[in-house]
């Protein structure tokens, strides 16, 4: 038998945690001295302790942990619980990874302050272009808001084009505008160039985007969730060269290989001289 202190050391947990597990019924001492109240544990109880800690680390509630270690949960139910928890953890990891990408992008913007590139920006005329598009609403311009909206839009757009027998004839063209409901929401337009007839159906819209007499453009290389430094470089150039924005910007997907790090996207912002 081990004292609570010895058992805590062998189990690599705190005495406080063992007392808590005793109070909640997760792990009772093997023996309690009636005279002193001292708790004693056996080595065999390390197995239950390991299971309790592992399940807690997976995010299960105390009641769920108790039911599992007391074998009140069947094998199939436990397998389902573990699959669900795995999916939740994977989603958390993906969200943290996306957040890290945004932090890195903001850091690059901060590190570039004071020496924004000027030779990468080109002023040019943008011709009118016909696109097939689908739209949806995002909460804002944050790449973490846009990404989960625009990616499924493009997947669905290409599926519908294929079903309609329409073949894209040029790159994707995305643009954004304030959503009618306001509140900072934006309407995401996911489009791709086509030569098909105009249509305004519920399943697919084909329209002509007007030409732009003058647009400040810059090429972004890499995934769009890391576009912040490039977009802000363009903003600094516009502000520092006597222009102001005069319309909603567009994103033209010049190259979209499977590896997103190799994506090439041109950012186009309509401008006028101040």
């Amino acid at each position: 038998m081990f004292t609570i202190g010895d058992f805590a050391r062998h189990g690599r947990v705190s005495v406080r945690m063992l007392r808590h597990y005793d109070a909640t019924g997760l792990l009772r001492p093997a023996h309690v001295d009636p005279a002193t109240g001292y708790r004693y544990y056996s080595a065999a109880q390390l197995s239950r302790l390991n299971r309790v800690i592992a399940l807690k680390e997976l995010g299960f509630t105390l009641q769920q942990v108790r039911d599992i270690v007391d074998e009140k949960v069947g094998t199939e139910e436990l397998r389902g619980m573990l699959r669900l928890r795995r999916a939740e953890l994977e989603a958390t990891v993906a969200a943290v990874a996306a957040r890290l990408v945004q932090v890195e992008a903001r850091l690059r913007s901060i590190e570039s302050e004071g020496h924004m590139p000027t030779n990468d920006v080109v002023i040019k005329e943008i011709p009118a272009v016909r696109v097939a598009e689908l739209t949806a609403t995002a909460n804002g311009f944050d790449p973490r808001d846009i990404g989960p909206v625009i990616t499924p839009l493009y997947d669905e757009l290409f599926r519908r084009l294929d079903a309609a027998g329409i073949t894209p004839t040029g790159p994707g063209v995305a643009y954004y505008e304030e959503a009618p409901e306001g509140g900072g929401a934006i309407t995401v337009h996911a489009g791709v160039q086509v030569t098909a007839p105009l249509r305004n159906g519920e399943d697919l819209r084909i329209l002509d985007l007007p030409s732009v007499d003058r647009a400040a453009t810059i090429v972004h290389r890499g995934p769009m969730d890391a576009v912040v430094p490039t977009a802000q470089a363009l903003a600094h150039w516009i502000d520092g060269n006597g222009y102001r924005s005069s319309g909603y910007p567009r994103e033209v997907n010049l190259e979209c290989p499977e590896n997103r790090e190799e994506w090439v996207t041109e950012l186009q912002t309509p401008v006028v001289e101040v």
Side-chain angles (χ1 to χ4, degrees), residues 13 21 43 73 99 121 138 151 158 184 218 227 253 260:
V13 295
Y21 287 165
V73 174
R99 190 173 296 115
V121 177
T151 299
F158 287 119
I218 191 171
V227 74
N253 311 124
R260 296 192 176 197

Side-chain angles (χ1 to χ4, degrees), residues 43-59:
Q45 290 181 284
L46 289 171
S47 175
R48 183 180 177 94
L49 175 63
N50 290 336
R51 284 165 172 74
V52 167
I53 293 174
L55 291 168
K56 284 293 294 175
E57 289 293 327
L58 283 172

Side-chain angles (χ1 to χ4, degrees), residues 11-71:
R12 297 298 190 269
V13 295
S14 67
V15 170
R16 182 179 178 181
M17 181 178 289
L18 289 177
R19 287 173 177 158
H20 176 64
Y21 287 165
D22 180 13
T24 57
L26 273 175
L27 182 60
R28 301 287 192 187
H31 173 70
V32 178
D33 189 303
T36 63
Y38 289 167
R39 299 172 174 87
Y40 294 92
Y41 296 81
S42 68
Q45 290 181 284
L46 289 171
S47 175
R48 183 180 177 94
L49 175 63
N50 290 336
R51 284 165 172 74
V52 167
I53 293 174
L55 291 168
K56 284 293 294 175
E57 289 293 327
L58 283 172
F60 289 107
T61 66
L62 289 178
Q63 184 59 53
Q64 289 173 323
V65 172
R66 185 181 297 110
D67 290 343
I68 293 171
V69 296
D70 288 343
E71 298 182 349

Side-chain angles (χ1 to χ4, degrees), residues 143-170:
R144 288 173 294 183
D145 293 325
I146 294 176
V149 173
I150 198 168
T151 299
L153 272 182
Y154 269 115
D155 291 341
E156 180 63 16
L157 174 62
F158 287 119
R159 187 192 70 78
R160 295 189 187 186
L161 287 174
D162 185 62
I166 300 174
T167 302
T169 56

